[in-house]
Amino acid sequence: MNNDKTSILNYITSKKEYARHAILIDPADQTPDIAAKRCLAAANAGSSMILVGGSSDTDMKNVEATVSAIKEMLELVKWAATQDAITSEEQNIPVVLFPQGAAALSTKADAVTFMMLMNSTSSRYLIDEQVLGAPHIKKSGIEPLPMGYLVCAPGGKVGEVGKANLIQPSDLDRVSAYATTAEFYGFKLIYLEAGSGAETPVSPNLIESAKESCNLTIVVGGGIRDGKTARIAAKAGADWIVTGNLAEEYDDADELQKKLTQFIVEMTKY
Ligand code: 1GP
């Protein structure tokens, strides 16, 4: 990635024929070394972004160590690729913070999702954490990615911690109004979240309704465990599919690479 301040945003919001995959790494669930190996497997499988964050137990220290390990690993791969004269987008995949709040930032990341949990009932997640974090982000120079974040049922831990008034599968008008609001606020991305480990992912009807109501890049995650489910979300309008738990089920990097390769192939069969 170059150092143009909007380079990551351009990369993430650029229109593609198919949805892209992002792997979410929770620094509270794995050592930096294992996180880096999982990211390498994801990069080799064709993932297009690495998100680092979690809704609890993350702090400056484990986020910083995890981001550093991942960046070092990706740099090595990039260096190896230049030796083989291979240059592709996959060699440059960005590491983006997906923070639970102002206390979980790292200056080593390429960008940070600067988000409003739009359906939170607490001012903390609507604006207070953002006000605390903004001066640090500005000072560090990492690129902020303006994003509306909507927690849908079942919502899981992030729904509880974020005090979300959950969006139900039948709330089509409501999700549509949120999507338009996000666009009017000037956000560039909207993330429809079912919660990490959700038993049911975000309903395709909600994704469709959001898609019809805004011109934003749509990110969908929570409870997506296979390529077929990802494809349904992609066909409904998701531009990015995020998986977190899926990678954590694999300790063997080769196995994970195989699984994610198959996932991405299946996700894009439409
Ligand atoms: C959570 O949407 C992400 O923020 C990913 O969820 O861990 O269920 O894949 P999973």
Side-chain angles (χ1 to χ4, degrees), residues 46-193:
S47 291
S48 305
M49 172 162 59
I50 294 163
L51 293 171
V52 178
S55 52
S56 57
D57 299 327
T58 48
D59 57 33
M60 256 357 157
K61 211 168 148 214
N62 64 10
V63 170
E64 183 84 10
T66 302
V67 171
S68 298
I70 296 169
K71 293 289 286 181
E72 271 169 36
M73 178 69 95
L74 294 178
E75 281 304 318
L76 270 178
V77 176
K78 211 161 113 184
W79 180 82
T82 59
Q83 302 304 298
D84 291 339
I86 301 166
T87 45
S88 73
E89 201 172 66
E90 282 66 38
Q91 310 303 335
N92 273 317
I93 69 175
V95 179
V96 175
L97 296 174
F98 178 53
Q100 60 171 335
L105 297 170
S106 158
T107 55
K108 300 222 166 67
D110 297 306
V112 54
T113 53
F114 195 74
M115 55 187 171
M116 173 191 282
L117 201 176
M118 297 179 77
N119 59 327
S120 176
T121 57
S122 159
S123 72
R124 177 167 175 199
Y125 299 98
L126 289 165
I127 189 69
D128 298 349
E129 285 289 332
Q130 294 80 338
V131 172
L132 286 173
H136 298 290
I137 293 171
K138 184 151 187 163
K139 208 163 142 203
S140 71
I142 56 174
E143 184 184 334
L145 310 172
M147 181 167 98
Y149 188 54
L150 288 178
V151 184
C152 306
K157 200 163 193 174
V158 71
E160 274 170 42
V161 173
K163 302 199 171 14
N165 178 4
L166 300 176
I167 295 181
Q168 302 299 329
S170 59
D171 287 344
L172 302 183
D173 290 343
R174 192 168 162 231
V175 82
S176 153
Y178 271 118
T180 306
T181 305
E183 185 167 310
F184 287 178
Y185 263 115
F187 300 149
K188 301 293 182 235
L189 311 164
I190 187 158
Y191 191 138
L192 302 178
E193 169 76 85

Side-chain angles (χ1 to χ4, degrees), residues 24 98 149 191 193 195-198 221-224 242-246:
L24 171 66
F98 178 53
Y149 188 54
Y191 191 138
E193 169 76 85
S196 185
I224 299 176
V242 180
T243 65
N245 275 295
L246 183 68

Side-chain angles (χ1 to χ4, degrees), residues 29-51:
D29 290 349
Q30 53 213 305
T31 63
D33 183 48
I34 290 179
K37 286 185 179 136
R38 286 181 173 144
C39 289
L40 176 62
N44 287 339
S47 291
S48 305
M49 172 162 59
I50 294 163
L51 293 171

